[in-house]
């Protein structure tokens, strides 16, 4: 079953007109999506599937109370609309506070530079996964296991609101993940690489060097010494910078976390200094061509670019219409949902640190003993605390790169770490590998990026010295 969007537009207009007086705000979203999921572990396919989903959601707000219902049968639309309104009226006791926006009537499609998912046969996608698996497995008996994950999706949605918005949007998205695990005796090391795109299938081709790099890192790490744990001046590459700004700082900038937590709202007070005057941090879906890019968010708010930190000072945060209304600030176009099963919540889009003026090659100069870390294996955050694992690392001795080391983890408090930035490189890299999770909605495409950074007093985990 596929959606007839011409008929659906008329149906949504009619339902909104008939029910809009029963709630302070109504939104109906219909969605059609196609997806491919492939998981190849070693030479065994664990998943090889294509799917088509059609469904929708209804959101209703009455006196500050929200009702939500999702469905996958269009015949249930009016019934679910009534249920959402009834739920909102049952719990609403205060005042509906939604930041005002102009209604939008538009059709937008994300531009492609290559083939879309439906133009590539499943057999061709399967063959690409096998090709990259052969690279991961080849050349050394110490490779104990490999995995390749492929996913693509094409979403087309229709959004109508009681304020007059009638918006159609569509986009395609791709992601691939590669991992090789090497074993020698009781020592086990893993190399990973991830990539993504919203531009075209061709962006996933020709990745042989990156895939081989993941395998080689796993093998080389088997013989490397473990870094001596301690506190160091650390230089991180743009990929780690992007991970840091997204995970450690970006989530704290999402306003739903702040207005529900008075202590965090006080910590994240606009006008507070968090870093040096050279530090600029942004988030926005307006820059085109990235995995977090779009024209309108899932409430119909136009995409924008928000300056989160300007000259080291907190100047903005990310909003839905409700969080903007409650905090008396302007909406930023950051209300997003993974698909029709979930309501929109405040989410990052593309988050980045702007480049500085220090030549990247000069960042290690003057460091008597430090660590240079690049790429990432994984990480976690808990409020303002973070821990990230580097994909590769070298010691810095007397201002020069020295021996490579393994098992490097970087830990700290995000606010202390921002304040400890000593220099910002003049380089910049976008990382399109992100799939963000929040509120049970995991895998939402995002972009992140930044320059190389030099940071003092970073806790580096490894092996304690005797």
């Amino acid at each position: 079953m596929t959606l007839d969007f011409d008929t659906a537009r008329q149906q949504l207009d009619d339902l909104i007109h008939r029910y809009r007086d029963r709630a302070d705000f109504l939104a109906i979203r219909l969605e059609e999506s196609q997806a491919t999921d492939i998981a190849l572990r070693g030479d065994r396919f664990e998943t090889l599937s294509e799917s088509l989903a059609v469904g929708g959601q209804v959101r209703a707000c009455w006196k500050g109370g929200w009702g939500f219902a999702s469905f996958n049968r269009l015949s249930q639309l009016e019934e679910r609309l009534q249920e959402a309104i009834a739920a909102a009226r049952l719990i609403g006791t205060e005042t509906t506070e939604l930041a005002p926006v102009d209604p939008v009537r538009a059709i937008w499609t994300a531009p492609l530079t290559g083939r879309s998912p439906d133009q590539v046969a499943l057999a061709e996608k399967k063959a690409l996964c096998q090709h990259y698996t052969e690279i991961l497995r080849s050349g050394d008996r110490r490779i104990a296991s490999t995995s390749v994950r492929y996913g693509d999706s094409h979403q087309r949605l229709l959004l109508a609101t009681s304020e007059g918005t009638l918006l159609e949007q569509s986009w395609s998205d791709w992601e691939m993940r590669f991992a090789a695990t090497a074993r020698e005796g009781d020592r086990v090391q893993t190399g990973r690489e991830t990539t993504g795109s919203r531009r075209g299938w061709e962006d996933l081709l020709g990745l042989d060097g990156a895939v081989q790099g993941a395998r080689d890192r796993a093998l080389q790490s088997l013989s490397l010494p473990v870094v001596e744990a301690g506190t160091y001046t650390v230089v991180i590459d743009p990929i780690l910078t992007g991970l840091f700004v997204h995970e450690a700082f970006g989530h704290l900038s999402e306003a739903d976390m702040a207005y529900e937590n008075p202590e965090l709202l006080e910590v994240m007070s606009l006008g507070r200094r968090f870093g040096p005057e050279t530090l600029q941090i942004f988030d926005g879906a307006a820059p085109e061509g990235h995995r977090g890019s779009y024209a309108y968010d899932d409430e119909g708010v136009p995409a924008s670019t928000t300056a989160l930190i300007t000259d080291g000072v907190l100047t903005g945060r990310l909003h839905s219409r409700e969080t903007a209304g409650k905090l008396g600030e302007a909406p930023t176009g950051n209300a997003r949902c993974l698909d029709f099963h979930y309501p929109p919540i405040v989410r990052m889009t593309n988050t980045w640190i702007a480049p500085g003026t220090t030549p990247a090659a000069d960042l290690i100069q003057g460091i008597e003993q430090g660590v240079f870390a690049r790429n990432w294996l994984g990480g976690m955050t808990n409020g303002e605390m973070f821990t990230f694992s580097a994909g590769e690392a070298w010691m810095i001795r007397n201002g020069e790169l020295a021996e490579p080391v393994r098992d490097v983890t970087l830990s700290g408090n995000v606010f202390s770490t921002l304040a400890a930035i000593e220099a910002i490189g003049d380089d910049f890299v976008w990382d399109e590998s992100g799939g963000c999770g929040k509120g049970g909605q995991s895998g939402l495409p995002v972009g992140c990026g930044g320059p190389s950074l030099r940071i003092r007093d970073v806790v580096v985990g490894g092996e304690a010295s005797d």
Side-chain angles (χ1 to χ4, degrees):
M1 178 182 179
T2 59
L3 274 176
D4 181 339
F5 275 74
D6 291 332
T7 301
R9 286 189 200 92
Q10 184 59 49
Q11 182 182 12
L12 266 60
D13 257 344
D14 177 63
L15 286 172
I16 289 289
H17 179 75
R18 286 195 285 125
Y19 285 91
R20 64 187 177 190
D21 292 336
R22 304 189 191 183
D24 296 328
F25 174 77
L26 288 176
I28 305 174
R29 169 188 168 124
L30 299 182
E31 179 183 321
E32 177 183 277
S33 63
Q34 298 171 278
T36 305
D37 186 17
I38 302 175
L40 179 56
R41 188 173 299 277
D43 59 0
R44 178 188 176 193
F45 282 95
E46 296 183 338
T47 305
L48 183 65
S49 68
E50 292 182 311
S51 61
L52 171 66
V54 176
Q57 61 173 242
V58 178
R59 299 171 70 218
C61 190
W62 170 258
K63 293 186 177 180
W66 286 94
F68 175 82
S70 65
F71 53 90
N72 54 19
R73 295 182 181 178
L74 297 184
S75 59
Q76 299 174 331
L77 171 53
E78 186 165 4
E79 180 182 354
R80 295 294 177 264
L81 177 59
Q82 294 169 349
E83 291 175 355
I85 293 172
R89 295 180 73 93
L90 184 64
I91 63 175
T93 58
E94 301 176 356
T95 302
T96 298
E97 298 179 88
L98 302 179
V101 296
D102 294 329
V104 176
R105 301 186 79 88
I107 298 175
W108 179 82
T109 300
L112 290 174
T113 60
R115 286 187 288 171
S116 64
D118 60 347
Q119 294 175 322
V120 183
L122 181 61
E124 190 174 352
K125 299 171 186 177
K126 174 175 175 283
L128 183 66
C129 292
Q130 291 173 310
H131 170 69
Y132 289 140
T133 294
E134 290 172 3
I135 294 174
L136 290 172
R137 300 180 66 192
S138 65
D140 201 299
R141 60 175 179 76
R142 293 175 294 172
I143 295 296
S145 64
T146 64
S147 68
V148 174
R149 292 296 305 264
Y150 170 92
D152 68 39
S153 63
H154 178 75
Q155 289 178 290
R156 185 181 179 190
L157 62 91
L158 190 64
L159 174 69
T161 75
S162 54
E163 297 169 332
T165 287
L166 185 61
L167 174 65
E168 181 182 331
Q169 294 195 92
S170 61
W171 53 76
S172 298
D173 187 83
W174 292 261
E175 184 178 86
M176 290 197 80
R177 296 178 176 266
F178 315 98
T181 298
R183 181 187 300 272
E184 189 168 41
D186 60 357
R187 184 172 294 180
V188 178
Q189 293 290 309
T190 298
R192 292 189 174 91
E193 195 73 40
T194 306
T195 189
S197 173
R198 277 202 168 182
R199 298 180 299 179
W201 157 260
E202 287 74 10
D203 285 352
L204 303 184
L205 306 180
L207 301 178
D208 297 28
V211 175
Q212 183 172 331
R215 182 201 66 187
D216 291 347
R217 288 196 295 275
L219 292 168
Q220 293 163 2
S221 295
L222 290 172
S223 58
L224 296 181
V226 178
V227 67
E228 182 179 322
T231 301
Y232 296 90
T233 295
V234 170
V235 176
I236 61 175
D237 79 324
I239 300 299
L240 268 173
T241 295
L243 176 68
F244 168 74
V245 72
H246 173 93
E247 292 288 355
F249 179 76
H251 282 296
L252 295 175
S253 299
E254 294 167 338
D256 54 347
M257 298 184 66
Y259 92 84
E260 294 171 354
N261 184 338
E263 292 182 359
L264 179 59
L265 187 59
E266 182 177 353
V267 171
M268 297 290 287
S269 298
L270 297 182
R272 179 178 177 181
R273 175 164 295 280
F274 282 97
E277 293 184 356
T278 53
L279 180 63
Q280 325 291 334
I281 300 180
F282 301 90
D283 180 278
E288 296 182 356
H290 303 294
R291 294 188 71 205
S293 302
Y294 47 78
Y296 302 91
D297 74 359
D298 288 316
E299 293 183 323
V301 179
S304 65
T305 296
T306 302
L308 301 176
I309 287 185
T310 304
D311 301 334
V313 174
L314 189 69
T315 53
R317 48 182 146 240
L318 308 179
H319 284 296
S320 66
R321 291 186 59 192
E322 183 177 41
T323 63
K326 287 181 177 294
L327 293 177
E329 298 172 14
T332 59
N334 284 84
R336 306 178 66 191
C337 61
L338 186 65
D339 57 42
F340 65 86
H341 295 97
Y342 307 95
I345 56 178
V346 184
R347 305 295 297 270
M348 282 174 279
T349 57
N350 305 300
T351 313
W352 71 95
I353 293 179
T357 59
T358 303
D362 293 347
L363 291 173
I364 65 173
Q365 291 184 2
I367 300 176
E368 183 176 345
Q369 179 171 274
V371 174
F372 172 65
R374 66 183 301 270
N375 214 324
W376 57 272
L377 281 177
M380 61 177 292
T381 59
N382 182 11
E384 61 194 65
M385 305 304 294
F386 68 88
T387 299
F388 300 136
S389 299
E392 297 178 271
W394 291 259
M395 295 304 299
I396 302 171
R397 301 190 189 281
N398 299 317
E400 295 183 353
L401 290 184
E403 74 275 15
V405 289
R406 64 179 173 90
D407 297 347
V408 171
T409 61
L410 311 175
S411 303
N413 174 288
V414 60
F415 303 122
S416 300
T417 302
L418 289 172
I421 293 174
E422 291 187 330
I424 300 175
D426 62 355
D427 54 344
F428 187 93
V429 173
W430 278 108
D431 182 5
E432 307 291 352
S433 65
C436 181
K438 176 182 174 182
Q441 303 188 43
S442 295
L444 186 72
V446 295
C448 57
S452 300
L453 299 177
R454 172 170 161 162
I455 311 169
R456 66 179 179 274
D457 298 332
V458 177
V459 176
V460 177
E463 191 173 78
S465 66
D466 295 334

